[in-house]
Amino acid sequence: MALLEVKDLRVRFETHHGTVRAVDGVSFDLEEGETLGLVGESGSGKSVTNLALMGLIPSPPGVVEAESVRFKERDLLALPPEELRKLRGNRIAMIFQDPMTSLNPLLTIGRQLTEVLELHKRVSRREARRAAVAGLDDVGIPSPERRLKQYPHELSGGMRQRVMIAMALLCKPDILIADEPTTALDVTIQAQILELMRDLQERHGTAIILVTHDLGVVAGMSNRVNVMYAGRLVESAPAAPLFARPLHPYTAGLLASVPTLDGDPEAQLFSIPGQPPDLAALGEGCAFQPRCDFAVERCATQRPTLDPPLAGEPRLSACFESARLREGFSPAAREEKA
Amino acid sequence: MASEENKRWDLGGAQDAKRLLRESKAHKGESLWTDARRRLRRNRAAFWCLVFLFVFALFSFLAPLLPIPSPKALDTSAGTALEPAWPWTTPHLAGEWDPDTFPNDADVAPGVLPSRAYGNLLNDGWRHQTVLRFHQESADIPPEPLLDWVEGVAGRRARVGSLRPDKEGGYLRYLCLPLDRDDAPRVDFEPTGVSGELLVWRFPLAEAPPGRPAFGVVYDLNLPEGLPPLERVGVEARTRRIELFLTPAERPAGVSGMAYRATLPRHIEGSAALVLVNGVGYPVEGGPPLPAAAAKLDLVLAPAQELRGIEHEGLVDRLRAAAPPPPGATLEGATHENGYWELGAIDNWMLRARVALFGSWQTGNWMGTDEKGRDLFARIVWGSRTSILVALAAGACSLLIGVIYGAFSGLMGGRIDNVMMRIVDILYSVPFIFVVIFLITIVNEYRTELEDVYGIDREVIFFIVIGAIYWLTMARVVRGQVLSLKNSEFIEAARIMGASTPRILFGHIVPNVLSVVIVYLTLTIPAVMLFEAFLSFLGLGIEPPKVSWGLLANDGTKAINPLKIYWWLVVFPAAAMGSTLLALNILGDGLRDALDPKLRGKD
């Protein structure tokens, strides 16, 4: 039994311009201590998926439906709001993309750290303080006692992100949702933060959902990678095989658009042609079909399901033409074709 | 050599760095408030403005205690506004007022007005006295027997006033019982431990004696067993004074009663058998018999000095009940004259304390007088009370209603926000001047009823209107701020941390809005003061003889004419108002800076 089981999660927003299906039938499992990468371009529904898990989709206009979202055998969608609130920050924590704006500028670090404990654990102020010091120490912040009394603007970006991580981990949550945790940081700090997350995961056994559009980060961190496009999962596979051989044209395109050191320095960087579709006006078929080089006739009318491309294979792909991708695909080949 | 080299290049940077390090070390770990306070103190202008405003507020609160003339004491003898008389130019009363040598007895009568140089209790605005009117057939009757008679009953010194013909061909003789030094509160009279409640024994109406039901105040009294339960009756807010009615029969000799008066709260029916004042009990004549257990109360009758003061109506009752006055004169009635409008308990207390402290001494017209001869300084001080009260009311309204309403509306968003903001729009669109005029008209129409039953007078209307208007803009401002804050990541973070909505609202959003709120408040307060001035100018706000800065400004503008410039009527009120508003603005600025954590530890 997995820690978190999501089956057929759907989130739609009823707007004036029609129904936007931000998340459309996403299913995945998360095991204890596992890192799940969630990849996709902006607007593909990654963040909405996470917010839906935490019950934070504003309603109206949002509507969340699912066959089941089970966290430790409890159905998250059926929980009363108060129960869900107790779960948030306690069992499921989250860290944000931009550490610069994710801390309340008016409260000290200590105040914000102890607030989590205050909300979820019955601890005295002194204990909370001690826990906060330990938490800061855990994420490698020097002289944590002094930091407790400082305000967010007195810390650097990396420090603040560490504080956010410390805050998220203070209650020893089962799941940590990291929503692009390193996007706003420079590369050296990125590495430190990722290293820190991996280290903490090993020590606490926390499962991580790592949302990012940085494929390098995903490759280094994740056990399993889910690729989202237009609110749907298009591919789900263990990290290594996915990067070795993507079985969905969108994944392939994403991989091709990563600049590599051994590539031709003169060549133009590859980009997927076209624009992401309007989520309010999705057709019958595959959402990626208009931008896809592999598209065949039925792609426009029929929606591919997320299935193992070969029977028994431990990965899933939602593409009719995954066999062609397997045969051989390289950006170079594509360039020639273009 | 090397050190010399160093010295030459030392521009004090190291010193600076050391100082900075030291200071930053000292300031680490301060709470936001400590830091704000420190930085506010560092900001000289703001700090002194705060001190100024504080002193000013204190002054206006202590107005009855200050030895200044009454703000409503008229003196039209000069026929014009008088220039400021600086302290060193005006002869002020030297020493105490000696009632035996005080001249002009004949002038001491209602409507007879003062000699300016000698400020004193009797003839200047500080008139706090009971004036008795006697009707007599001829002018020849000497006043002395009358005086003796009154003093005998009242147990205090009285003064002979003027004699005037009345309409019926007879004469009116005035006699005054002024408040004097002995009427000031004494230590043993100080109402310590006042519970603020009225305790009465209530009896069915049928058993009540004819006439006025009596009741009294009881302060912290241990009651023996066996007495009927004391009923605690909350004193209505409007009941400012509690009157003690003592009929002559059981009044111990020399006790002249109590200075606390009140109208009986309407919901108390019946009568008391015993009146307790400060633990001193008086049985009531014609009241129900005292319960046997009352004997255990160990009632003490107070010696004369302990209960002093002018007990106006009780006095008249006593005079009527006493032996008939000397032949030729009949008691017509009495009025209680007060140099002020109706004052609350605290103000009355301060007034008495003033007599105890300063006696009859009071300042001259340091800032001149207006054309009706009222002292301008006194009017400014008393007027500031209105302005400050109005400002506080508006400030409290916009803080409480505006911030909570706006924050809630902004946070909820969607339909709720829409509805709430439309309500604000509707209130905005109401032409409040018309509403004020409408309400004031109603109040004037049903004046007595509204004032007696509901305690609604013009000032209350005024405050209601201010309460209705001044939170609107604040609500909008706060809502806008909250809308922009609501989607900021740290609010999202708080939500994800599992914080509840009220916690997010009051723990995260409101503090972030506070700097804007403070700045807006410092704009609101002057605006309200001006609004008050405007309404008073239209004759819809504060009514003369009460005074407010708006009225003063109004008077000042009237006083400027081509023939004679009464500069003091403009300069002093304007200076008072201007300096207050300026101080508020500078303070607001300083507060905003001081509350900004980004400037923390800096100067």
Side-chain angles (χ1 to χ4, degrees), chain A residues 3 17-18 29 42 45 74 90 132 149 188 258 313 318 328:
Chain A
L3 181 66
H17 310 293
D29 291 352
S42 304
R74 293 160 85 187
N90 189 11
K149 293 169 188 162
T188 47
V258 177
E313 211 177 8

Side-chain angles (χ1 to χ4, degrees), chain A residues 85 101 104 106 115 118 120 153, chain B residues 497-498 503 508 511-512 597:
Chain A
R85 190 178 71 71
T101 54
N104 188 338
L106 279 185
E115 188 175 10
E118 245 171 61
H120 297 298
H153 70 266
Chain B
M497 235 159 60
R503 194 184 179 104
H508 294 275
N512 274 291

